[in-house]
Amino acid sequence: MKEEIKGKQMDWPPSKALLVAFIPLALFLAAVPKMYSIYERKQIRKNSAFAVGTVVRYEYVSTKYRQFYRACIQYSVDGKSFSGTGKLNRRLTKPQLNAVLNEKLPVIYEKGNPDNGVVLANEERFGNFGLMFPDSLRWTGQYFY
C-alpha cells in the first residue's frame, strides 16, 4: 500500500497496512453483540408475553473493570423452565443478598421463544419496553441496577 504526500510516494510497512485493513473488521465484530441484543429486544417488543420469575441464587462477578453480584432468576413457560439474570449492587451485605432470594420479579419474553426474555428488575428495564414501573416493585431500587 502506498501513500502520496505532496508529490512524494511513501511505502507503508506491511504491519501498518495489515492493521489499517483489519480495523473496520474489528469494529464490526465489536458491534455485533450489541446489534444482536437490539434485535432480541425488538423481537420481544413485537410479540411479548409475561411470566413471574423467582430469584434462586446470586453469584459474585468480577471483571477487569467492575465487580457486581448477579441474581439468577428462573421462570416457567408452558411447564418448561427458563432463566434470566439481573445485576445486584456490589455493596450489598450478605443478609441483604439473602433477603433477595425467593423474591418474585416479572419477566417479559418473546412469545414462541421464551429463551429471549428480560427480567424487569428496575425502573429502567420497564422503561426500555415502554411499561409503567409498579409501586409494588419500588423495593428493587435498593438492590438492582
Side-chain angles (χ1 to χ4, degrees):
M1 195 180 265
K2 295 187 179 194
E3 183 180 1
E4 198 169 303
I5 300 177
K6 294 183 184 182
K8 295 182 182 179
Q9 237 178 2
M10 292 180 49
D11 285 329
W12 281 14
S15 61
K16 186 175 181 181
L18 189 62
L19 178 66
V20 169
F22 282 105
I23 286 176
L25 177 62
L27 291 174
F28 173 76
L29 291 175
V32 166
K34 184 64 177 172
M35 291 186 313
Y36 187 69
S37 176
I38 291 168
Y39 169 78
E40 285 185 322
R41 300 304 180 257
K42 280 185 178 181
Q43 295 305 107
I44 293 172
R45 283 187 198 96
K46 279 184 193 176
N47 198 9
S48 57
F50 294 90
V52 176
T54 303
V55 179
V56 293
R57 70 177 187 282
Y58 60 86
E59 54 196 26
Y60 183 72
V61 178
S62 179
T63 67
K64 186 175 181 180
Y65 301 105
R66 60 185 169 172
Q67 299 84 34
F68 59 93
Y69 288 98
R70 177 184 300 136
C72 300
I73 295 96
Q74 286 189 334
Y75 58 101
S76 180
V77 177
D78 296 330
K80 294 181 183 175
S81 185
F82 298 92
S83 62
T85 61
K87 288 184 183 176
L88 290 164
N89 186 329
R90 72 180 177 108
R91 292 187 176 92
L92 295 174
T93 64
K94 193 79 158 170
Q96 289 172 317
L97 289 166
N98 289 333
V100 174
L101 292 174
N102 298 315
E103 287 291 340
K104 305 287 187 207
L105 296 168
V107 177
I108 187 170
Y109 65 91
E110 178 187 354
K111 272 186 194 171
N113 183 12
D115 268 330
N116 183 16
V118 175
V119 177
L120 301 174
N122 60 30
E123 196 166 356
E124 181 183 350
R125 289 274 176 102
F126 274 85
N128 290 341
F129 293 96
L131 301 170
M132 294 291 295
F133 186 67
D135 287 339
S136 62
L137 290 177
R138 290 277 172 221
W139 66 269
T140 62
Q142 61 186 321
Y143 295 97
F144 292 88
Y145 69 96

